[in-house]
Amino acid sequence: MSTREAAGRAGMNSRNPTISDVAERAGVSVPTVSRVLTGAARVSPAKREQVEAAIAELNYRPSAAARVLVSRKSQTIAVIAGNTSRYGYAETIRGIEIAARAEGYTVMITVVESADEDEVDRAVSATLTQALAGVIVLKFDPPGVAALGRLSTDLPVVALSGTRETGLRQAVLDEASAAEELTDHLLGLGHETVHHVRIPPSRRVDGRTTGWRRALRRAKAPIPPLLDATWLPRSGVGIGHALAEDPSATAVFCGNDEIAMGVMRGLAEKGLRVPEDVSVAGFDDHPLAELWSPPLTTVEQDFAGLGRRGFQLLLEALDGTGVRLYSSERPRLVFRESTAAPKARS
């Protein structure tokens, strides 16, 4: 063995072998090694044997990055979200990850912390520097909406949300229809109207608020002013205090279950009982909703299923096997003990 070969082997022993090392050992070009690895083109039996022998001798294992460069096909998808800890977000991402793993894809997650232009540009730019097959955006809030608007059209993109928009490949939970049905349920119990505590919307009006207002208008019921909560459950406590001072507030529909729990706490602190004095309903069917006291009437949303459906749309775009741009599912009402017929409030 020459001094140069010995030095080369010593260098390789201190690092993982590369595709260039395989090409040099086999006495062929890097593109020839690539063709052997991917089967993208025919290679003569003699050269294939040389490459395979070099791979075995060097114990070469292509890295994920090398496979992308060789095959021009990434096995990584990005998920962009405004949050990863809230129940709906976490469950949706879990659904994406399970579906992606089953198909051999890796999921990377980017959190966009606000809708500030610089923050959105930073997060999206950092995401797009990766070798990606496609992107799924959780369009649940303003940061998600802003990030979706910054994405390049060169990549397949799927949006997940509670409202449908034209011109997007998207998986949707039909929140407006579910909110309308829930409001109808409360009106059907005999309440003259239904107050609505809104969570921060992704756009000016979200599906939950749209469905609530649609039901009240159809029933020709009074439409109370919106009550805005933050994402923090404790913001519902103060709203509960205010509702306790309003005798017309006999039924309350909250934008999610955590806010509903806060509202119930605020009502209780003012001496009112649920549902004897005020009926309270939530949205999402958080795991704690059925354990709350009283158990919470709500809307079950299959967030994990939303994630799976979103990934399936993306996979169809990547494989070129489908032309679907839209997948919708209607959430299911869950009736529990926090809602009842009204009685007169003093």
Side-chain angles (χ1 to χ4, degrees), residues 277-293:
D277 299 309
V278 182
S279 288
V280 178
F283 213 91
D284 292 344
D285 200 21
H286 188 285
L288 292 177
E290 66 177 334
L291 303 178
W292 204 248
S293 182

Side-chain angles (χ1 to χ4, degrees), residues 137-291:
V137 181
L138 273 59
K139 194 171 70 70
F140 293 171
D141 50 25
V145 172
L148 186 63
R150 298 289 203 286
L151 285 171
S152 165
T153 56
D154 295 338
L155 280 173
V157 176
V158 171
L160 308 185
S161 71
T163 54
R164 181 176 181 177
E165 293 185 32
T166 58
L168 289 174
R169 183 177 283 107
Q170 56 193 311
V172 175
L173 288 167
D174 188 356
E175 295 181 346
S177 295
E180 184 174 5
E181 186 178 356
L182 179 59
T183 306
D184 283 340
H185 164 68
L186 292 168
L187 293 172
L189 290 173
H191 297 278
E192 292 185 3
T193 190
V194 177
H195 288 66
H196 180 46
V197 181
R198 182 175 64 171
I199 56 175
S202 58
R203 293 191 185 275
R204 187 173 59 87
V205 180
D206 63 7
R208 305 176 196 203
T209 302
T210 297
W212 162 76
R213 187 175 282 118
R214 186 191 299 162
L216 293 181
R217 283 175 175 163
R218 181 166 38 77
K220 295 182 171 55
I223 301 178
L226 279 173
L227 301 167
D228 283 317
T230 71
W231 286 112
L232 297 176
R234 175 153 289 280
S235 68
V237 176
I239 294 173
H241 291 167
L243 288 167
E245 303 300 325
D246 182 357
S248 73
T250 64
V252 184
F253 159 38
C254 300
N256 69 26
D257 294 336
E258 295 98 315
I259 296 300
M261 294 172 192
V263 168
M264 292 164 74
R265 171 67 179 269
L267 291 168
E269 289 179 352
K270 292 296 184 177
L272 296 185
R273 297 168 299 164
V274 174
E276 291 84 354
D277 299 309
V278 182
S279 288
V280 178
F283 213 91
D284 292 344
D285 200 21
H286 188 285
L288 292 177
E290 66 177 334
L291 303 178

Side-chain angles (χ1 to χ4, degrees), residues 67-83:
R67 286 194 295 271
V68 170
L69 291 172
V70 169
S71 67
R72 303 298 178 190
K73 184 178 179 182
S74 173
Q75 292 296 116
T76 300
I77 66 167
V79 174
I80 298 178
N83 189 281

Side-chain angles (χ1 to χ4, degrees), residues 29-43 47-48 70:
S29 67
V30 169
T32 297
V33 177
S34 298
R35 288 193 289 272
V36 171
L37 291 170
T38 64
R42 289 179 60 84
V43 177
K47 286 186 177 179
R48 179 177 294 279
V70 169

